[in-house]
């Protein structure tokens, strides 16, 4: 009898998360020079980390023998001041993904339900399964969250409801009026989680922090992986009223965020120039891909994030074909979109190379 016979069945049944394919693995498997490979799969910052963050992390290395500040007081304080919150509203995570897990630790069990949109971030479903909770998937017509339908799906067993805004992998968002109407209906026994990993890329972002200030049962997720270019550090945070935040603090591991990550994130938050350059580059990248897909007659979802979802017929085949050309994109079969791929915006040169590789692959599929 194998060891799985003694393990929790909901763990055995779980599918592991599949990240974007690493450059090094691609180079090794296909015999390519890693310096010639571009990764357009994981919504990373093509400009790299904030220069101020790199300088701060170099300095922090001198104290790598000392445990990090377990409370993350300096970083939490800076976040609170920037967002007009109190430090008790801020919880640090090993990436914003850990905040998702902490929420599940605090609120999910076999009797509970988690609600999310049909094409939302797949980690919500994975986490619900890991905690034995029922996952309720609400259709999202036009790839946009249907907040009216999500509100209607709430039951007495619902504990968590996720609104990814902008949503990954669709790049769509819901506006302030829709959110306000939804929040007017949200019951007290549900923690509404606004996943705002791509918040800084928005031209006109909605304000959901007002619900934190009002003491509502919400948690807003933010990350330093995207706009700040610190994905390798795994540093993110949750913003919640003290009642919810206190539960998350109790659920997290001691020293869950390391000293280099805290130092880098603290410096990156203050690097306005790097943030502005990243935003502008992304606006240009979205315009490039939107125009490029229209020109090619490809169906796509207009995006407000730093990636675009585009229909290519056979997502797995296009992913493989582009991989052989040194361009890593993301196939969307995991999101029940086998005919689609997701492409991250890059530099102007990376964007043009991606479109050229896409042209070659699609031409080969039709001949």
């Amino acid at each position: 009898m194998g060891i799985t016979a003694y393990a929790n069945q909901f763990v055995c049944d779980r599918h592991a998360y599949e990240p974007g394919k690493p450059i090094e693995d691609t180079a090794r498997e296909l015999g390519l020079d890693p310096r010639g490979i571009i990764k357009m799969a994981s919504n990373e910052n093509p400009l790299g980390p904030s220069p101020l963050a790199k300088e701060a992390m170099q300095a922090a290395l001198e104290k790598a023998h000392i445990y990090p500040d377990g409370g993350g007081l300096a970083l939490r304080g800076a976040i609170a001041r920037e967002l007009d919150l109190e430090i008790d509203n801020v919880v640090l995570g090993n990436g914003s993904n850990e905040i998702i897990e902490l929420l599940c630790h605090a609120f999910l069990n076999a009797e509970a339900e988690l609600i999310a949109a049909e094409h939302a971030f797949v980690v919500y479903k994975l986490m619900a399964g890991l905690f034995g909770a029922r996952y309720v998937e609400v259709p999202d017509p036009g790839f946009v969250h249907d907040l009216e339908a999500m509100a209607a799906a709430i039951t007495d067993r619902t504990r968590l409801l996720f609104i990814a805004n902008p949503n990954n992998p669709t790049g769509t968002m819901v506006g302030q009026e829709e959110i306000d109407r939804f929040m007017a209906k949200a019951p007290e026994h549900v923690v509404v989680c606004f996943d705002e990993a791509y918040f800084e890329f928005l031209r006109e972002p909605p304000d959901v922090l007002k619900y934190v200030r009002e003491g509502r049962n919400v948690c807003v997720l933010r990350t330093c992986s995207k706009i700040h270019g610190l994905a390798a550090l795994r540093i993110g945070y949750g913003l919640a009223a003290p009642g919810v935040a206190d539960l998350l603090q109790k659920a997290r591991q001691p020293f869950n965020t390391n000293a280099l990550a805290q130092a880098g994130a603290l410096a990156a938050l203050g690097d306005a120039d790097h943030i502005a350059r990243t935003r502008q580059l992304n606006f240009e990248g979205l315009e490039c891909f939107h125009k490029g897909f229209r020109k090619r007659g490809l169906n796509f979802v207009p995006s407000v994030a730093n990636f675009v979802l585009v229909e290519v017929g056979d997502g797995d085949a296009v992913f493989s074909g582009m991989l052989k050309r040194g361009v890593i994109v993301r196939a969307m079969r995991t999101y029940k979109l086998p005919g689609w791929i997701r492409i991250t915006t890059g530099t102007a040169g990376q964007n043009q190379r991606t479109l050229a590789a896409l042209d070659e692959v699609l031409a080969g599929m039709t001949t």
Side-chain angles (χ1 to χ4, degrees):
M1 185 180 294
I3 191 62
T4 55
Y6 304 97
N8 290 324
Q9 190 61 46
F10 55 81
V11 176
C12 297
D13 294 341
R14 183 176 185 263
H15 295 287
Y17 178 76
E18 297 179 14
K21 196 168 184 66
I23 289 175
E24 294 76 13
D25 283 1
T26 301
R28 183 172 57 253
E29 291 175 8
L30 299 178
L32 301 175
D33 184 344
R35 294 170 296 182
I37 298 173
I38 58 173
K39 188 180 178 190
M40 311 289 282
S42 300
N43 309 336
E44 296 150 338
N45 189 329
L47 296 180
S50 152
L52 297 183
K54 289 193 284 186
E55 182 179 341
M57 288 186 288
Q58 286 288 346
L61 276 173
E62 297 299 321
K63 296 182 179 179
H65 59 295
I66 298 174
Y67 281 105
D69 174 4
L73 297 180
L75 178 55
R76 288 170 60 214
I79 293 169
R81 288 190 296 273
E82 179 176 323
L83 301 177
D84 191 27
L85 296 171
E86 301 297 328
I87 193 169
D88 288 343
N89 296 130
V90 184
V91 181
L92 301 183
N94 185 15
S96 59
N97 266 28
E98 189 186 20
I99 304 299
I100 298 172
E101 183 176 354
L102 297 181
L103 286 161
C104 293
H105 273 295
F107 296 103
L108 292 191
N109 53 49
E111 303 301 319
E113 296 175 345
L114 183 155
I115 295 176
E118 181 178 3
H119 298 104
F121 189 32
V122 71
V123 166
Y124 309 147
K125 184 175 184 178
L126 296 178
M127 284 291 103
L130 187 60
F131 286 84
R134 179 170 179 257
Y135 184 72
V136 180
E137 197 170 78
V138 178
D140 49 355
F143 295 116
V144 180
H145 281 55
D146 185 342
L147 297 192
E148 291 289 330
M150 294 180 81
I154 294 173
T155 71
D156 291 342
R157 296 173 58 188
T158 306
R159 294 294 176 267
L160 297 175
L161 186 148
F162 280 86
I163 300 171
N165 208 35
N167 181 49
N168 174 22
T170 65
T172 57
M173 65 169 285
V174 288
Q176 190 73 58
E177 291 186 8
E178 298 161 282
I179 291 171
D180 290 342
R181 284 197 301 269
F182 172 83
M183 288 302 300
K185 302 175 183 178
E188 285 296 305
H189 68 273
V190 177
V191 178
V192 181
C193 311
F194 292 97
D195 190 342
E196 295 189 334
Y198 304 94
F199 174 85
E200 293 88 353
F201 294 105
L202 296 177
R203 294 181 186 270
E204 297 180 2
D207 176 20
V208 296
L209 290 182
K210 65 180 182 178
Y211 296 115
V212 175
R213 300 186 188 101
E214 292 172 3
R216 296 289 300 276
N217 290 332
V218 304
C219 183
V220 181
L221 282 61
R222 301 271 178 94
T223 183
C224 296
S225 295
K226 308 303 179 184
I227 196 87
H228 301 297
L230 301 179
L233 296 184
R234 308 308 302 127
I235 184 78
Y237 50 96
L239 308 165
V244 174
D246 183 57
L247 290 171
L248 302 185
Q249 294 286 16
K250 291 177 179 179
R252 71 177 178 86
Q253 289 288 318
F255 309 113
N256 64 322
T257 59
N258 68 75
L260 297 186
Q262 290 186 33
L266 182 60
L269 289 173
D271 195 342
D273 180 65
H274 187 261
I275 294 171
R277 289 192 299 119
T278 300
R279 280 170 52 85
Q280 183 58 37
L281 185 66
N282 185 61
F283 293 149
E284 294 168 2
L286 289 177
E287 183 178 10
C288 173
F289 281 131
H290 289 175
K291 286 184 175 180
F293 296 148
R294 288 193 186 99
K295 180 180 178 181
R296 290 160 175 80
L298 294 174
N299 183 34
F300 70 96
V301 182
S303 174
V304 294
N306 69 335
F307 53 83
V308 185
L309 186 67
V310 57
E311 190 171 18
V312 293
D314 186 335
D316 293 336
V318 170
F319 163 79
S320 297
M322 296 185 73
L323 200 65
K324 294 173 183 176
R325 292 162 173 80
V327 180
I328 307 173
V329 295
R330 191 70 181 270
M332 290 283 102
R333 183 175 296 278
T334 303
Y335 288 88
K336 301 190 297 182
L337 296 168
W340 299 67
I341 60 173
R342 190 191 66 199
I343 303 177
T344 306
T345 60
T347 64
Q350 290 173 334
N351 297 338
Q352 291 301 327
R353 181 178 165 190
T354 299
L355 288 172
L358 180 61
D359 286 340
E360 291 179 11
V361 172
L362 292 178
M365 292 172 63
T366 57
T367 56

